[in-house]
Structure formats: C-alpha cells, structure tokens
Amino acid sequence: MHYLFTSESVSEGHPDKVSDQISDAILDNMLAQDPQAHVACETLCTTGQVVIAGEVSCKGWVDIQQIARKTIAEIGYTKAEYKFEAESCGILTALHAQSQDINMGVSRAEADEQGAGDQGMMFGYATDETDNFMPLTLDLAHTLVYTLARIRKEGKQMLYLRPDSKSQVTIEYDEQNRPVRIDTIVLSTQHDEGVTSELIKQDVIDILLPRVATRDSRYGHLLHDFLEDKNAKLLVNPTGNFVIGGPHGDTGLTGRKIIVDTYGGRGAHGGGAFSGKDPSKVDRSAAYAARWIAKHLVAAGVAHEALVQVSYAIGVAKPVSLYVNTYGTAQVPMSDAEIAAKVNELFDLRPAAIIRDLKLTQPMYEETAKYGHVGRTNEVVTKTFFDADGKEFTRQVELFTWEKLNRLEEVKAKFGL
C-alpha cells in the first residue's frame, strides 16, 4: 500500500539557523587560530539582541562581536525594519574556560587514545533514493529554501523577499519505498509589507519551482507532474501574512533544528546537536563518521538503505557499541550484525582517528549550519578569518569531508563486491 512521508527545512534566515551560524562562525575563527581549540558555543537571538555563551579553550583570540555581526549581515539582516539588524543589535558575550573535569576525560598523553568528549549515541544514514544518498523529501525541502535564498540575494526577482523562510515536502511512496509523486509542498517565506500571498504563490510557480527543477534532474519530472496534478497541494504562506519574522518574530537558539540538520525524520537521531561544538565532541564528529560509513555501505552496494549507530562513554576512546540496520535491503548474504562486524574492522571510530581521517580540525563548520550537515558537496574553498589583531587572513578549507567516498574500493573488497 502506498504511504506518505514528510520532511521540512528552514532557510539560513530562520532564527534557529541564525544562532547555529553564529556559533559555528565563532568555532571556525577559533580553529583557524588554534586547530586544537575546544569550543562549546551556544547562541540565542531575539528582537535586537544576541546572547553568546559557552565554554572554550583556545590559544588564539577572536572578536566575538565582529564575527557575530559579519555573520548576521551575510545572512541578510541589514535593514532596521526587520527589528534585528547586524550593526545595531546588542551582543552579550558570556564565554568562559572549559571545565577541567571534561578536559581530563578528553586529553591524553597518547593522542590516538583521546577520550570521547561526552557519552551518547550518534547515527548516520544513507539511501540510494537520490544521487547524494539522501531522502528525497529532505533533499527537495532543502533545495526549495536554498534556491529561494539565492533568488533573494541576487536581487533581480521576487524583490519583496526577506531572510526567514521554511519549506515542507510530502512525497507518496510505493510498496517498494520508491518515490512516486509529490503530494504536498508547503512554503512559508517572510516578505515586505503589502505583498499578497497570491502574488508570492504565483512567483513560486513561475520562478522558484522551474528553477529548482532545472537545477537538479532528480526533481524535474516530479515537479512537472506536481504542477499538473489536480490532487497535489501547493500551500504558500498559508496563514496569509509573514511580515514579522526572523529573530524578531521568534527567538532562535543553537541546536533546535537537529532533524533539519540530518535526515528529515528518516533513520534516527541520537539527540545531540552539532553547531558550536569542536570535533572532540562526538555528538558532532561521530555523527559525521556514521554518515560517512552509511554512505559507503550504500554506494558500495552492500544495501539500498543503511542506518549506522555508534555510542561512547565520556573519556573512553573506543566506542561502546556499533550497530547497523539495512532495513531488509542488504545485497550481500550477511546479517546486519555480520555487516556491523566488518564495518568495525574497516573503520577506526576512536575520536582521534575520526578527527584525523575526516580532517575535522579545519575551520569547516559555518557552512554546515545552513541547509543540512549531510548530503552536501565535498569541495575545497577559500575562507576569510580574523586574527588576534582583527586583521583578515585567508585559508583553504576542505568542506564536508564525510561526504567523500574515498574508501569505496576498500569497502567493496571487504564485502566481496
């Protein structure tokens, strides 16, 4: 029997994502000066105010206000009428030194025996539903708000757009878990005064959806069919008005969009947020490693779908457990437990090994804080940071290293594929 499944995404201007980006921008600037910095940075933003708190251990020095204001401006909060604006908002900083009790559990004389920064379980997931091994519902939801933000920043069309927006995509699947049709798209976007939801909906139909369909062939036929489907639903700004938005409309907090950040409700989530945390926190680094492994299993043909769980005890390097679930889609004559045993032989999941293999001491995290931490493009970019004197400097940084399939042949050989 066919069923419906839904995922949502939010834009970089959503208040929770504003908070995530500020936290990760601060982390990046600290790592750019001290690759061994330990950072746990939380941000709250509301009407005209940003509060930054947390624990850090860093040999460098960063201008927190400068970084926060630059991040807010790049998102697009640059007008006084938004009631939250980069140059005029207040910024309160309450960062202090990392607890020595936590540091004792993490730091080791033998680098490879670095302990996990906390207890907990982390998940990674992959499916062959899309070319980037992500659930189609979430991938399309991300693409909608990402493309809307690009249109806003280009400043040529839909000139009424403001930074805050949300999307939600519902797709009908058949009995073999294959996407059949798009059932519902919900899109809510902040806009200038006096703009009607009818105009915005027509622009979504005429400008946004064709651009999304052109950008990615995975969506083209589905979006075309969606617009022709009389039973499909396109809901644009369903409340009728969305002028008040961003941190003025809703207080934002770091770490409140963890399902948007990962798999849109597919697979599982351990509960820990990512943004603002350096890679010694396995909440972040082990979740990336689990995605890396799950993607390899699916790309290698071990299974059509894979969930990987890894768990840790604080201060202990070796994982407490490793679990694999292929949802009955395994393409090798092995149980999921046997697949997990081979994964354990292939991948070193001690924190120090994850950090080394995925190059996680790079200042690579601000980009993860918008449009998902997984399913993204691995690439090398040039980024700009500030030194202790407030002067700009640049570094080449490799982004989304956990999306690489650099161990694919090794995985295939291990499973006889």
Side-chain angles (χ1 to χ4, degrees), residues 114-256:
Q114 170 184 321
D118 202 351
Q119 69 175 46
M121 64 281 190
M122 301 83 208
F123 289 92
Y125 174 81
T127 172
D128 61 8
E129 194 171 298
T130 58
D131 293 342
N132 63 353
F133 302 93
M134 291 290 289
L136 181 58
T137 50
L138 180 63
D139 204 37
L140 180 50
H142 280 325
T143 304
L144 285 167
V145 287
Y146 171 84
T147 307
L148 194 68
R150 299 287 73 75
I151 291 170
R152 172 175 61 84
K153 291 185 177 183
E154 288 165 6
K156 297 177 181 178
Q157 297 173 298
M158 303 177 75
L159 302 179
Y160 50 78
L161 291 174
R162 292 184 176 185
D164 194 1
S165 65
K166 300 178 75 171
S167 66
Q168 184 173 286
V169 176
T170 300
I171 288 180
E172 180 182 331
Y173 288 80
D174 65 16
E175 293 85 348
Q176 286 74 47
N177 297 316
R178 293 174 301 202
V180 174
R181 57 183 284 274
I182 301 170
D183 182 82
T184 307
I185 292 176
V186 182
L187 188 72
S188 297
T189 182
Q190 187 186 13
H191 57 84
D192 290 343
E193 289 272 12
V195 179
T196 66
S197 56
E198 289 78 16
L199 171 61
I200 300 172
K201 182 173 182 177
Q202 196 59 52
D203 283 349
V204 167
I205 293 170
D206 295 340
I207 299 170
L208 176 63
L209 295 185
R211 185 159 166 176
V212 170
T214 302
R215 179 178 177 270
D216 200 318
S217 60
R218 289 171 293 181
Y219 312 140
H221 71 285
L222 288 173
L223 282 169
H224 174 76
D225 293 346
F226 171 76
L227 291 172
E228 299 294 326
D229 187 347
K230 293 181 180 178
N231 294 315
K233 298 174 285 293
L234 175 62
L235 306 175
V236 177
N237 282 19
T239 65
N241 208 44
F242 189 2
V243 174
I244 300 171
H248 177 53
D250 185 15
T251 296
L253 290 170
T254 298
R256 276 207 307 205

Side-chain angles (χ1 to χ4, degrees), residues 29 32 70 366 382-386 391-395:
N29 274 270
K70 178 175 181 287
E366 186 178 357
T382 300
K383 296 181 63 172
T384 301
F385 305 99
F386 299 102
K391 296 179 181 178
E392 289 189 354
F393 67 98
T394 60
R395 271 193 57 183

Side-chain angles (χ1 to χ4, degrees), residues 345-359:
E345 295 169 5
L346 276 167
F347 294 92
D348 188 345
L349 289 171
R350 293 176 297 170
I354 293 172
I355 291 169
R356 179 188 65 240
D357 291 344
L358 297 181
K359 306 176 184 177

Side-chain angles (χ1 to χ4, degrees), residues 273-322:
F274 301 158
S275 289
K277 298 177 181 177
D278 75 83
S280 73
K281 280 74 172 176
V282 284
D283 272 352
R284 184 168 216 163
S285 55
Y288 293 162
R291 160 65 179 177
W292 185 46
I293 294 168
K295 186 174 179 179
H296 271 84
L297 292 176
V298 175
V302 176
H304 292 299
E305 187 178 12
L307 178 73
V308 176
Q309 184 206 56
V310 61
S311 66
Y312 294 87
I314 189 170
V316 180
K318 190 175 180 180
V320 172
S321 68
L322 176 68

